[in-house]
Amino acid sequence: MATLGAKLIAVLPGHALIEAPILPGSLQQHGYAHAGLTFAIGDSAAGYAALGVMPEGSEVLTTEMKINLLAPARGERLIARGRVIKPGRRLVIVQADVHAVEDGQETHVALLTGTMIPLLPG
């Protein structure tokens, strides 16, 4: 995430917030933030949200993630808000919304839905 300039802003049980600047190296051919950046921070926000509802000492692993790209990601930065939809012992269902910020206005650019699993210690 450091390569992308992404920062973990907040983690609460079942919720997480990650922000990343839209850097020149993260642009695709039309000048929008690349879907890879959008996916990376959305997946990470969903993962941190899931980690917040897992047993102490657990690690998290994405087993499946779908992305719907809703609008071109243009602006200065992206904000990913992850949340747990359904916590479980073996599977945690998650979502993340990614917004692009341009001139102080947020545009919803992606919705991710997926499944995380806990990797228990030992």
Side-chain angles (χ1 to χ4, degrees):
M1 297 307 287
T3 301
L4 302 173
K7 292 190 170 130
L8 182 61
I9 304 300
V11 178
L12 300 167
H15 297 275
L17 177 75
I18 293 178
E19 292 187 5
I22 300 175
L23 302 171
S26 298
L27 300 175
Q28 47 87 290
Q29 71 273 19
H30 299 292
Y32 307 128
H34 195 282
L37 172 62
T38 304
F39 186 88
I41 68 166
D43 177 58
S44 293
Y48 275 108
L51 191 59
V53 301
M54 291 180 180
E56 186 74 27
S58 294
E59 292 290 332
V60 65
L61 187 64
T62 303
T63 61
E64 171 270 333
M65 188 66 71
K66 178 189 184 318
I67 187 170
N68 289 96
L69 299 168
L70 307 172
R74 45 182 139 208
E76 302 86 42
R77 64 193 161 103
L78 297 179
I79 300 172
R81 295 176 180 96
R83 67 188 171 283
V84 170
I85 301 301
K86 183 178 185 304
R89 258 190 8 238
R90 293 192 179 108
L91 301 175
V92 179
I93 309 305
V94 295
Q95 281 190 330
D97 292 292
V98 181
H99 291 80
V101 179
E102 183 175 36
D103 299 325
Q105 294 285 93
E106 287 191 22
T107 300
H108 195 192
V109 298
L111 170 68
L112 291 82
T113 305
T115 307
M116 303 283 173
I117 60 167
L119 297 176
L120 301 172

XYZ file of all heavy atoms in Angstrom, residues 31-107:
565
model
N -6.550 8.964 -18.359
C -6.274 9.939 -17.319
C -7.062 9.753 -16.034
O -7.018 10.612 -15.154
N -7.782 8.648 -15.902
C -8.519 8.344 -14.670
C -7.655 7.444 -13.792
O -6.744 6.773 -14.277
C -9.832 7.608 -14.986
C -10.707 8.298 -15.987
C -11.181 7.618 -17.103
C -11.074 9.630 -15.837
C -11.995 8.240 -18.033
C -11.882 10.260 -16.767
C -12.344 9.564 -17.863
O -13.146 10.185 -18.779
N -8.006 7.383 -12.504
C -7.323 6.433 -11.618
C -7.564 5.019 -12.150
O -8.681 4.671 -12.534
C -7.841 6.564 -10.196
N -6.512 4.240 -12.192
C -6.602 2.876 -12.708
C -7.486 2.026 -11.788
O -7.477 2.189 -10.564
C -5.207 2.272 -12.804
C -5.155 1.045 -13.637
N -5.570 -0.190 -13.171
C -4.770 0.854 -14.916
C -5.422 -1.081 -14.124
N -4.936 -0.477 -15.198
N -8.230 1.106 -12.386
C -9.082 0.195 -11.617
C -8.271 -0.640 -10.639
O -8.785 -1.046 -9.598
C -9.880 -0.711 -12.556
N -6.999 -0.873 -10.924
C -6.148 -1.617 -10.006
C -5.974 -0.893 -8.681
O -5.969 -1.514 -7.624
N -5.830 0.429 -8.723
C -5.749 1.224 -7.499
C -7.076 1.164 -6.757
O -7.112 0.956 -5.544
C -5.394 2.679 -7.833
C -5.462 3.680 -6.675
C -4.470 3.309 -5.578
C -5.231 5.098 -7.186
N -8.152 1.336 -7.492
C -9.493 1.289 -6.899
C -9.721 -0.054 -6.209
O -10.177 -0.107 -5.070
C -10.557 1.520 -7.992
O -10.283 2.762 -8.642
C -11.957 1.527 -7.433
N -9.379 -1.135 -6.895
C -9.560 -2.471 -6.331
C -8.669 -2.676 -5.110
O -9.125 -3.209 -4.083
C -9.272 -3.553 -7.375
C -9.583 -4.937 -6.883
C -10.851 -5.465 -7.038
C -8.621 -5.700 -6.246
C -11.156 -6.744 -6.562
C -8.915 -6.966 -5.768
C -10.181 -7.497 -5.924
N -7.422 -2.266 -5.200
C -6.476 -2.504 -4.107
C -6.937 -1.847 -2.811
O -6.916 -2.485 -1.747
C -5.080 -1.995 -4.486
N -7.358 -0.586 -2.875
C -7.742 0.064 -1.615
C -9.117 -0.409 -1.144
O -9.367 -0.482 0.054
C -7.631 1.597 -1.669
C -8.653 2.227 -2.587
C -6.211 2.011 -2.019
C -8.785 3.725 -2.414
N -10.010 -0.767 -2.076
C -11.310 -1.317 -1.681
C -11.165 -2.667 -1.006
O -11.771 -2.930 0.037
N -10.330 -3.526 -1.572
C -10.075 -4.843 -0.992
C -9.435 -4.703 0.387
O -9.815 -5.394 1.338
C -9.168 -5.641 -1.929
C -8.784 -7.000 -1.373
O -9.682 -7.813 -1.080
O -7.568 -7.250 -1.237
N -8.491 -3.797 0.517
C -7.823 -3.607 1.808
C -8.772 -3.038 2.858
O -8.739 -3.466 4.019
C -6.606 -2.687 1.648
O -5.619 -3.334 0.874
N -9.618 -2.083 2.477
C -10.584 -1.530 3.430
C -11.559 -2.609 3.896
O -11.872 -2.708 5.086
C -11.346 -0.356 2.806
N -12.013 -3.439 2.973
C -12.912 -4.542 3.341
C -12.194 -5.533 4.250
O -12.769 -6.039 5.216
C -13.433 -5.243 2.089
N -10.924 -5.801 3.967
C -10.141 -6.733 4.785
C -9.932 -6.229 6.198
O -10.064 -6.977 7.164
N -9.608 -4.950 6.346
C -9.438 -4.391 7.696
C -10.762 -4.372 8.445
O -10.793 -4.596 9.661
C -8.830 -2.993 7.637
C -7.326 -3.012 7.550
C -6.676 -2.672 6.368
C -6.550 -3.378 8.646
C -5.294 -2.686 6.280
C -5.158 -3.408 8.568
C -4.540 -3.059 7.382
O -3.173 -3.082 7.301
N -11.859 -4.121 7.745
C -13.176 -4.179 8.393
C -13.432 -5.588 8.917
O -13.884 -5.775 10.050
C -14.268 -3.755 7.417
N -13.114 -6.591 8.100
C -13.300 -7.990 8.505
C -12.397 -8.353 9.681
O -12.818 -9.033 10.617
C -13.034 -8.928 7.332
N -11.163 -7.893 9.636
C -10.217 -8.201 10.702
C -10.737 -7.714 12.052
O -10.530 -8.353 13.077
C -8.863 -7.563 10.394
C -7.689 -7.970 11.255
C -7.432 -9.467 11.187
C -6.446 -7.199 10.828
N -11.473 -6.628 12.029
C -12.013 -6.061 13.258
C -13.076 -6.905 13.939
O -13.413 -6.649 15.098
N -13.626 -7.900 13.246
C -14.635 -8.775 13.855
C -14.121 -10.205 14.041
O -14.860 -11.079 14.465
C -15.960 -8.790 13.046
C -16.542 -7.389 12.949
C -15.770 -9.399 11.668
N -12.852 -10.427 13.738
C -12.262 -11.759 13.870
C -11.624 -11.920 15.246
O -11.325 -10.934 15.917
C -11.227 -11.975 12.763
C -11.854 -12.080 11.396
S -10.598 -12.330 10.112
C -11.642 -12.401 8.673
N -11.393 -13.183 15.652
C -10.765 -13.420 16.952
C -9.392 -12.752 17.065
O -8.678 -12.595 16.066
C -10.616 -14.948 17.013
C -11.627 -15.470 16.035
C -11.734 -14.428 14.961
N -9.053 -12.364 18.279
C -7.754 -11.746 18.577
C -6.621 -12.599 18.020
O -6.622 -13.823 18.154
C -7.602 -11.613 20.093
C -6.377 -10.857 20.523
C -6.471 -9.365 20.302
O -7.593 -8.832 20.293
O -5.422 -8.733 20.122
N -5.666 -11.965 17.373
C -4.508 -12.664 16.830
C -4.712 -13.227 15.435
O -3.781 -13.769 14.854
N -5.921 -13.101 14.890
C -6.198 -13.616 13.544
C -5.546 -12.736 12.489
O -5.260 -11.565 12.705
C -7.705 -13.629 13.266
O -8.376 -14.531 14.089
N -5.325 -13.321 11.352
C -4.974 -12.601 10.135
C -6.158 -12.765 9.191
O -7.025 -13.609 9.411
C -3.704 -13.182 9.504
C -2.457 -12.957 10.331
C -2.010 -11.503 10.351
O -2.291 -10.777 9.382
O -1.386 -11.097 11.340
N -6.198 -11.976 8.132
C -7.319 -12.028 7.207
C -6.810 -12.358 5.807
O -5.689 -12.000 5.441
C -8.099 -10.681 7.217
C -7.245 -9.550 6.695
C -9.390 -10.779 6.438
N -7.645 -13.061 5.043
C -7.298 -13.418 3.673
C -8.542 -13.294 2.807
O -9.612 -13.796 3.164
C -6.769 -14.858 3.627
C -6.196 -15.353 2.317
C -4.953 -14.561 1.925
C -5.852 -16.826 2.423
N -8.406 -12.610 1.681
C -9.509 -12.510 0.722
C -9.610 -13.822 -0.033
O -8.620 -14.319 -0.557
C -9.253 -11.371 -0.295
O -9.061 -10.150 0.408
C -10.400 -11.230 -1.279
N -10.827 -14.371 -0.092
C -11.018 -15.593 -0.883
C -11.768 -15.313 -2.175
O -11.682 -16.093 -3.122
C -11.788 -16.668 -0.091
O -13.068 -16.167 0.260
C -11.026 -17.065 1.151
N -12.509 -14.198 -2.197
C -13.278 -13.855 -3.395
C -13.641 -12.379 -3.297
O -13.960 -11.884 -2.232
C -14.533 -14.737 -3.437
C -15.563 -14.401 -4.475
C -16.613 -13.413 -3.977
O -16.887 -13.343 -2.765
O -17.139 -12.678 -4.831
N -13.531 -11.651 -4.431
C -13.892 -10.235 -4.436
C -14.360 -9.847 -5.838
O -13.704 -10.156 -6.826
C -12.690 -9.376 -4.036
C -13.014 -7.913 -3.828
S -14.100 -7.555 -2.442
C -13.017 -7.890 -1.061
N -15.513 -9.206 -5.883
C -16.091 -8.719 -7.147
C -16.104 -7.201 -7.093
O -16.336 -6.610 -6.050
C -17.519 -9.237 -7.281
C -18.230 -8.743 -8.529
C -19.697 -9.114 -8.481
C -20.455 -8.743 -9.739
N -20.177 -7.478 -10.315
N -15.856 -6.576 -8.233
C -15.892 -5.122 -8.301
C -16.844 -4.678 -9.412
O -16.849 -5.257 -10.496
C -14.474 -4.526 -8.517
C -14.498 -2.990 -8.427
C -13.877 -5.002 -9.824
C -13.116 -2.358 -8.380
N -17.668 -3.698 -9.083
C -18.481 -3.002 -10.078
C -17.904 -1.600 -10.197
O -17.900 -0.844 -9.217
C -19.950 -2.898 -9.643
C -20.647 -4.233 -9.702
O -20.740 -4.922 -8.705
N -21.117 -4.602 -10.866
N -17.407 -1.260 -11.382
C -16.902 0.086 -11.628
C -18.079 0.936 -12.085
O -18.733 0.622 -13.082
C -15.786 0.046 -12.672
C -14.576 -0.786 -12.234
C -13.643 -1.035 -13.405
C -13.849 -0.120 -11.084
N -18.371 1.993 -11.337
C -19.594 2.772 -11.524
C -19.400 4.068 -12.290
O -20.335 4.550 -12.934
C -20.207 3.083 -10.153
C -20.430 1.876 -9.240
C -20.859 2.344 -7.858
C -21.439 0.931 -9.851
N -18.213 4.652 -12.188
C -17.933 5.939 -12.837
C -16.423 6.098 -12.955
O -15.680 5.475 -12.189
C -18.528 7.088 -12.012
N -15.957 6.936 -13.890
C -14.513 7.198 -13.974
C -14.011 7.820 -12.666
O -14.666 8.677 -12.085
C -14.386 8.194 -15.128
C -15.623 8.010 -15.940
C -16.697 7.637 -14.947
N -12.852 7.360 -12.226
C -12.257 7.855 -10.979
C -11.327 9.015 -11.303
O -10.165 8.828 -11.618
C -11.517 6.733 -10.269
N -11.858 10.223 -11.218
C -11.024 11.400 -11.492
C -10.994 12.292 -10.256
O -11.948 12.337 -9.495
C -11.511 12.162 -12.707
C -12.966 12.386 -12.783
C -13.391 13.117 -14.048
N -14.607 12.477 -14.513
C -15.003 12.431 -15.755
N -14.310 13.006 -16.680
N -16.103 11.825 -16.091
N -9.880 12.964 -10.106
C -9.745 13.868 -8.978
C -8.387 13.766 -8.334
O -7.421 13.321 -8.944
N -8.353 14.153 -7.051
C -7.092 14.188 -6.312
C -6.822 12.903 -5.539
O -5.676 12.522 -5.347
C -7.091 15.353 -5.308
C -7.299 16.724 -5.921
C -8.772 17.092 -6.081
O -9.574 16.829 -5.170
O -9.111 17.642 -7.148
N -7.899 12.257 -5.056
C -7.689 11.077 -4.216
C -8.897 10.167 -4.257
O -9.972 10.555 -4.698
C -7.386 11.483 -2.781
C -8.492 12.199 -2.083
C -8.007 12.839 -0.772
N -8.940 13.856 -0.363
C -9.828 13.716 0.609
N -9.884 12.598 1.297
N -10.643 14.684 0.927
N -8.677 8.950 -3.770
C -9.736 7.963 -3.622
C -9.925 7.673 -2.138
O -8.959 7.666 -1.369
C -9.394 6.654 -4.339
C -9.229 6.710 -5.855
C -8.877 5.318 -6.384
C -10.467 7.240 -6.524
N -11.168 7.425 -1.756
C -11.510 7.044 -0.395
C -12.250 5.711 -0.465
O -13.237 5.594 -1.192
C -12.422 8.088 0.279
C -11.745 9.452 0.337
C -12.838 7.612 1.670
C -12.660 10.568 0.802
N -11.774 4.723 0.276
C -12.435 3.417 0.339
C -12.983 3.213 1.748
O -12.246 3.349 2.728
C -11.450 2.299 0.000
N -14.263 2.912 1.818
C -14.929 2.637 3.093
C -15.382 1.178 3.092
O -16.281 0.816 2.333
C -16.120 3.567 3.276
C -15.733 5.031 3.405
C -16.966 5.946 3.501
N -16.573 7.330 3.614
C -16.491 8.172 2.585
N -16.791 7.770 1.369
N -16.126 9.430 2.778
N -14.740 0.365 3.926
C -15.072 -1.049 4.008
C -15.996 -1.318 5.179
O -15.950 -0.621 6.192
N -16.837 -2.342 5.024
C -17.743 -2.720 6.113
C -18.060 -4.213 6.030
O -18.041 -4.809 4.959
C -19.020 -1.907 6.079
C -19.910 -2.169 4.891
C -21.068 -1.171 4.818
N -21.787 -1.296 3.574
C -21.385 -0.827 2.409
N -20.244 -0.184 2.312
N -22.112 -0.996 1.325
N -18.359 -4.760 7.186
C -18.760 -6.162 7.274
C -20.266 -6.227 7.093
O -21.020 -5.515 7.748
C -18.349 -6.769 8.633
C -18.968 -8.144 8.816
C -16.838 -6.827 8.734
N -20.705 -7.090 6.195
C -22.125 -7.326 5.959
C -22.622 -8.445 6.861
O -23.668 -8.345 7.482
C -22.386 -7.680 4.473
C -21.898 -6.551 3.563
C -23.851 -8.002 4.231
C -22.537 -5.204 3.796
N -21.840 -9.532 6.935
C -22.220 -10.665 7.795
C -20.958 -11.311 8.343
O -20.188 -11.910 7.602
C -23.023 -11.697 7.010
C -23.498 -12.851 7.906
C -24.332 -13.838 7.134
C -24.909 -14.910 8.010
N -23.974 -15.666 8.800
N -20.746 -11.181 9.649
C -19.594 -11.861 10.239
C -19.909 -13.333 10.467
O -21.057 -13.693 10.711
C -19.405 -11.132 11.577
C -20.774 -10.630 11.915
C -21.468 -10.366 10.600
N -18.907 -14.148 10.347
C -19.079 -15.575 10.612
C -17.780 -16.159 11.132
O -16.734 -15.527 11.045
N -17.852 -17.363 11.660
C -16.642 -18.024 12.171
C -15.676 -18.370 11.052
O -14.469 -18.252 11.202
C -17.033 -19.312 12.901
C -17.032 -19.196 14.381
C -17.184 -20.541 15.094
N -17.111 -21.696 14.225
C -18.072 -22.603 14.116
N -19.170 -22.502 14.812
N -17.933 -23.631 13.304
N -16.209 -18.850 9.934
C -15.354 -19.286 8.821
C -15.339 -18.315 7.655
O -14.337 -18.208 6.952
C -15.806 -20.659 8.333
C -15.554 -21.736 9.365
C -15.743 -23.109 8.758
N -15.479 -24.121 9.752
C -16.418 -24.867 10.310
N -17.681 -24.722 9.965
N -16.092 -25.758 11.207
N -16.454 -17.636 7.424
C -16.563 -16.694 6.308
C -17.075 -15.355 6.824
O -17.998 -15.315 7.633
C -17.540 -17.216 5.250
C -17.228 -18.571 4.608
C -18.368 -18.983 3.677
C -15.917 -18.522 3.856
N -16.488 -14.285 6.321
C -16.947 -12.937 6.645
C -17.276 -12.250 5.324
O -16.407 -12.096 4.461
C -15.876 -12.141 7.425
C -16.363 -10.737 7.727
C -15.500 -12.874 8.713
N -18.547 -11.888 5.154
C -18.996 -11.227 3.930
C -18.801 -9.725 4.096
O -19.204 -9.145 5.114
C -20.483 -11.556 3.634
C -20.726 -13.066 3.690
C -20.909 -10.952 2.300
C -19.840 -13.912 2.804
N -18.174 -9.108 3.094
C -17.782 -7.702 3.187
C -18.200 -6.914 1.952
O -18.468 -7.499 0.890
C -16.250 -7.571 3.367
C -15.792 -8.161 4.684
C -15.508 -8.238 2.211
N -18.227 -5.601 2.121
C -18.403 -4.690 0.992
C -17.482 -3.504 1.192
O -17.092 -3.191 2.321
C -19.834 -4.181 0.872
C -20.783 -5.153 0.254
C -22.123 -4.522 -0.074
O -22.574 -3.594 0.581
N -22.774 -5.046 -1.092
N -17.165 -2.836 0.100
C -16.430 -1.576 0.167
C -16.969 -0.660 -0.918
O -17.277 -1.104 -2.030
C -14.941 -1.793 -0.022
N -17.107 0.598 -0.561
C -17.463 1.639 -1.518
C -16.232 2.500 -1.720
O -15.572 2.882 -0.739
C -18.603 2.513 -0.975
C -19.902 1.743 -0.875
O -20.450 1.397 -1.935
O -20.356 1.480 0.250
N -15.915 2.795 -2.972
C -14.780 3.663 -3.271
C -15.319 4.921 -3.943
O -16.119 4.846 -4.883
C -13.746 2.957 -4.180
C -12.555 3.877 -4.450
C -13.273 1.652 -3.543
N -14.880 6.064 -3.419
C -15.279 7.368 -3.940
C -14.038 8.123 -4.418
O -12.991 8.046 -3.765
C -15.983 8.205 -2.875
C -17.329 7.674 -2.501
N -17.501 6.626 -1.634
C -18.558 8.053 -2.902
C -18.796 6.386 -1.509
N -19.456 7.227 -2.268
N -14.162 8.838 -5.519
C -13.121 9.749 -5.975
C -13.478 11.141 -5.479
O -14.651 11.521 -5.483
C -13.036 9.745 -7.503
N -12.459 11.871 -5.041
C -12.669 13.235 -4.557
C -12.036 14.198 -5.549
O -10.834 14.119 -5.826
C -12.062 13.433 -3.153
C -12.282 14.862 -2.677
C -12.626 12.431 -2.161
N -12.874 15.082 -6.097
C -12.413 16.107 -7.036
C -13.022 17.439 -6.611
O -14.242 17.566 -6.524
C -12.832 15.764 -8.466
C -12.315 16.745 -9.497
C -12.639 16.307 -10.918
O -13.720 15.737 -11.146
O -11.791 16.558 -11.795
N -12.165 18.401 -6.303
C -12.613 19.720 -5.853
C -13.589 19.629 -4.681
O -14.601 20.330 -4.635
C -13.238 20.504 -7.011
C -12.262 20.756 -8.151
O -11.062 20.964 -7.865
O -12.693 20.721 -9.316
N -13.305 18.719 -3.744
C -14.123 18.579 -2.546
C -15.409 17.786 -2.734
O -16.121 17.533 -1.766
N -15.716 17.358 -3.946
C -16.928 16.587 -4.236
C -16.583 15.112 -4.369
O -15.628 14.754 -5.052
C -17.573 17.058 -5.539
C -18.108 18.479 -5.482
C -19.400 18.530 -4.687
O -19.376 18.773 -3.481
N -20.501 18.293 -5.337
N -17.377 14.258 -3.725
C -17.171 12.813 -3.831
C -18.064 12.220 -4.909
O -19.246 12.553 -4.990
C -17.485 12.128 -2.493
C -16.459 12.364 -1.432
C -16.644 11.471 -0.214
O -17.290 10.403 -0.319
O -16.135 11.849 0.854
N -17.477 11.332 -5.718
C -18.222 10.562 -6.716
C -18.022 9.087 -6.416
O -16.881 8.620 -6.272
C -17.709 10.868 -8.143
O -17.871 12.264 -8.396
C -18.456 10.058 -9.190
